[in-house]
Amino acid sequence: MTTPPRRHHPSERAIAIRYQQRSAEVKALQRQCYALATLRLKAAVQANGTGKGLAVVSDIDETILDNTAVMAHAMTLGEAMDGFETWKLWEREGAPHLLPGAADFFHLADRLGVTIFYVSDRFEENKLATIATLSRLGLPQVHADHVLLFGPPKAERRAAVERDHRVILHLGDTLHDFHGCFADATLEDQHRLAEDHADRFGEDWIVFPNAAHGTWMEAELRPWDAPRRG
């Protein structure tokens, strides 16, 4: 018998989205991620002598773009966070903004001659709209063959990039943005796999904070079993 998914109390979603959208701490963490990515980018290019043949692979949502407005919209309507029709409409008509540090990082990669690939599970049917959004926000190398959207698993899209480039950095907000082993893994397996790949975090894997989405949202809390007194 399959256990039904846990129903989230509205306050859980509100706290997660409020933290993601309004906290200064999240903005600081996002800047911190891009600061670290910049250090790794410069070091890799220096070691290679040039940016030629190198690539950065980045997720889009909550890694480059802030989509918390549509999260808040869905919450107020009582919709699921992954409601397809709302997200499709947002991809076409929404006005996300860049995370702090994103513009400087990607323009630096472009100036250094590093190839950029935007690998996202946004809908392929909205590819032109996604390209238009990224272009409107001034991001470099926003070409159709550099924007790889939902279809083949992300692992396959990354492998296609790796056939012709050495990927020096992966940027994302969920673990399957980095390696196919995390896709569809249970939460316990994700913890184990994260330990197995511990040496990559902060090196060529840069993880961005996202309090509003993830396998962990279905996990039960583990409260302290305080000793009884008296």
Side-chain angles (χ1 to χ4, degrees):
M1 182 175 178
T2 303
T3 303
R6 186 173 69 86
R7 294 180 61 85
H8 300 107
H9 190 278
S11 65
E12 290 184 273
R13 297 176 65 187
I15 290 170
I17 296 168
R18 185 172 287 112
Y19 177 79
Q20 193 69 25
Q21 184 179 67
R22 301 304 305 273
S23 75
E25 287 82 358
V26 159
K27 299 299 183 244
L29 286 168
Q30 291 163 345
R31 289 185 186 279
Q32 183 172 271
C33 287
Y34 275 117
L36 179 55
T38 298
L39 292 174
R40 297 293 181 252
L41 171 68
K42 289 179 177 178
V45 172
Q46 183 177 19
N48 195 55
T50 175
K52 185 176 177 60
L54 305 182
V56 170
V57 171
S58 180
D59 178 46
I60 295 177
D61 298 311
E62 276 46 73
T63 302
I64 297 174
L65 301 183
D66 182 326
N67 299 284
T68 51
V70 73
M71 297 179 192
H73 169 78
M75 186 195 71
T76 59
L77 296 180
E79 295 181 356
M81 293 292 290
D82 58 353
F84 289 160
E85 294 309 313
T86 297
W87 276 94
K88 285 181 180 180
L89 180 62
W90 172 254
E91 289 177 3
R92 295 192 302 270
E93 306 293 339
H97 57 267
L98 292 174
L99 269 58
D104 289 344
F105 172 80
F106 287 104
H107 282 292
L108 174 62
D110 186 53
R111 290 197 303 273
L112 292 174
V114 175
T115 306
I116 301 165
F117 289 92
Y118 302 95
V119 180
S120 167
D121 279 345
R122 283 183 159 230
F123 292 95
E124 178 70 20
E125 67 192 70
N126 289 335
K127 184 165 182 170
L128 290 179
T130 292
I131 289 173
T133 295
L134 296 175
S135 298
R136 173 180 61 82
L137 293 169
L139 292 170
Q141 301 185 33
V142 182
H143 315 302
D145 55 347
H146 286 215
V147 179
L148 310 179
L149 303 184
F150 184 72
K154 279 192 173 183
E156 291 184 20
R157 283 173 272 164
R158 290 192 296 267
V161 172
E162 290 168 347
R163 284 198 288 269
D164 298 312
H165 302 81
R166 179 163 68 87
V167 178
I168 56 172
L169 280 172
H170 296 267
L171 281 60
D173 66 302
T174 59
L175 291 175
H176 79 277
D177 291 330
F178 303 94
H179 197 288
C181 68
F182 292 104
D184 300 319
T186 65
L187 182 57
E188 291 304 316
D189 282 342
Q190 287 183 1
H191 281 285
R192 176 181 57 79
L193 291 165
E195 286 294 325
D196 292 344
H197 294 279
D199 60 326
R200 311 226 20 207
F201 298 109
E203 292 296 329
D204 60 326
W205 293 1
I206 309 295
V207 185
F208 286 73
N210 185 354
H213 176 72
T215 308
W216 50 269
M217 292 187 72
E218 305 302 326
E220 296 294 337
L221 293 175
R222 296 174 176 173
W224 178 41
D225 186 12
R228 296 180 180 274
R229 297 184 180 276

